[in-house]
Amino acid sequence: MGDSQSWTAAPAAAERARSVLAVAWSCAVTADGGREEFVGAHTVDEDGRVHVHVPEDSALLTAAICAPRGEPNAVLEFADVAPVPVRGRIRARLWLAGYFVPEDDHLVFHPTRVVLRQPSGAVVVDLDEFAAAAPDPLALAESHLLTHLADCHGDAVERLTRLVDHASLHGAVRVQPLAVDRHGLTLRIERNRAHGDVRLPFHTPADDVGQLTERMHVLLTQASAASCPRALQRQRTDGDR
């Protein structure tokens, strides 16, 4: 079980949903009683409609053509996977229920219901807010940013734990960067048989990588001035075996 943490300055549900959609490389489609997995076959337009290119012999294409126009007939599922290896790498799941409309050489999915599930629970996203929202400006760069932080700046990650409440670090064996967005950085704190997440908010949002660099320097400066918690236990976690 994960720890219960209150997130400060986190993205709104609609923005988070659009971020998941923007970076997802694959999607699962359930329609007419069947389920198909598509990899690298979809794109997303500015309003959040999903364009799916399917093979001519796909059962999904037949189901979309035969379905009553405008009636919900499919569910699309997207998974948000942490780029850094951690226990429990699925950070969120996004489900879009709606209908397909054939257009030229592909299918266009029009959502009628959007559900985002995160560790804090599931929420139904307002359709107008979903259509109007934009992905987090750091979403497409997040994977590179986090893997670079984890692989090349482990000392900085450990320094940032000085900003974490000491009680949250009790029994910790590893801390890894889990997520970053314009509002803050999230750390995953792993113990032998449990894990929890801690949010480190930025003093102001970062709208690009340059601003993110400045926000991280501010956090590291604050961490350097903070008291140092007890060193993390140097032992293997269950996931490292």
Side-chain angles (χ1 to χ4, degrees):
M1 296 177 60
D3 293 348
S4 174
Q5 297 285 345
S6 59
W7 282 34
T8 305
E15 180 182 353
R16 184 73 181 93
R18 290 298 298 270
S19 296
V20 172
L21 196 58
V23 300
W25 180 242
S26 65
C27 70
V29 181
T30 301
D32 196 28
R35 180 181 173 91
E36 293 187 65
E37 301 275 349
F38 296 96
V39 178
H42 74 276
T43 58
V44 184
D45 64 23
E46 292 184 356
D47 295 328
R49 290 187 294 263
V50 182
H51 298 242
V52 184
H53 295 263
V54 300
E56 292 184 358
D57 60 351
S58 170
L60 175 60
L61 182 60
T62 302
I65 293 174
C66 297
R69 187 174 180 84
E71 291 189 10
N73 55 43
V75 175
L76 276 59
E77 179 181 348
F78 303 86
D80 176 38
V81 183
V84 175
V86 293
R87 186 186 299 135
R89 291 185 71 172
I90 303 297
R91 302 182 299 186
R93 292 188 184 276
L94 177 67
W95 289 275
L96 307 180
Y99 60 92
F100 280 107
V101 174
E103 183 175 303
D104 298 330
D105 61 344
H106 65 283
L107 300 174
V108 181
F109 187 78
H110 296 254
T112 57
R113 183 178 174 85
V114 178
V115 178
L116 175 69
R117 183 173 185 84
Q118 302 182 102
S120 57
V123 59
V124 177
V125 182
D126 180 84
L127 289 176
D128 290 336
E129 293 179 1
F130 177 77
D136 184 89
L138 302 175
L140 296 179
E142 184 194 28
S143 178
H144 171 73
L145 292 169
L146 290 181
T147 53
H148 179 74
L149 180 61
D151 295 342
C152 303
H153 299 284
D155 56 334
V157 174
E158 185 159 352
R159 197 191 323 167
L160 288 171
T161 62
R162 298 183 183 186
L163 300 176
V164 177
D165 182 83
H166 290 194
S168 296
L169 292 172
H170 179 72
V173 295
R174 186 172 70 164
V175 177
Q176 290 277 55
L178 177 71
V180 68
D181 54 64
R182 65 193 300 261
H183 300 286
L185 173 73
T186 301
L187 300 178
R188 167 63 54 85
I189 300 174
E190 294 186 348
R191 301 174 181 82
N192 280 327
R193 289 181 172 80
H195 62 268
D197 302 333
V198 172
R199 181 81 169 176
L200 301 180
F202 300 142
H203 63 281
T204 55
D207 293 327
D208 54 42
V209 175
Q211 292 183 7
L212 172 64
T213 300
E214 187 274 335
R215 306 301 187 266
M216 290 296 297
H217 283 164
V218 171
L219 286 181
L220 288 168
T221 298
Q222 294 172 344
S224 296
S227 61
C228 184
R230 186 177 62 183
L232 297 178
Q233 301 174 34
R234 301 300 182 183
Q235 55 182 298
R236 302 172 69 90
T237 65
D238 293 343
D240 293 332
R241 293 176 181 174

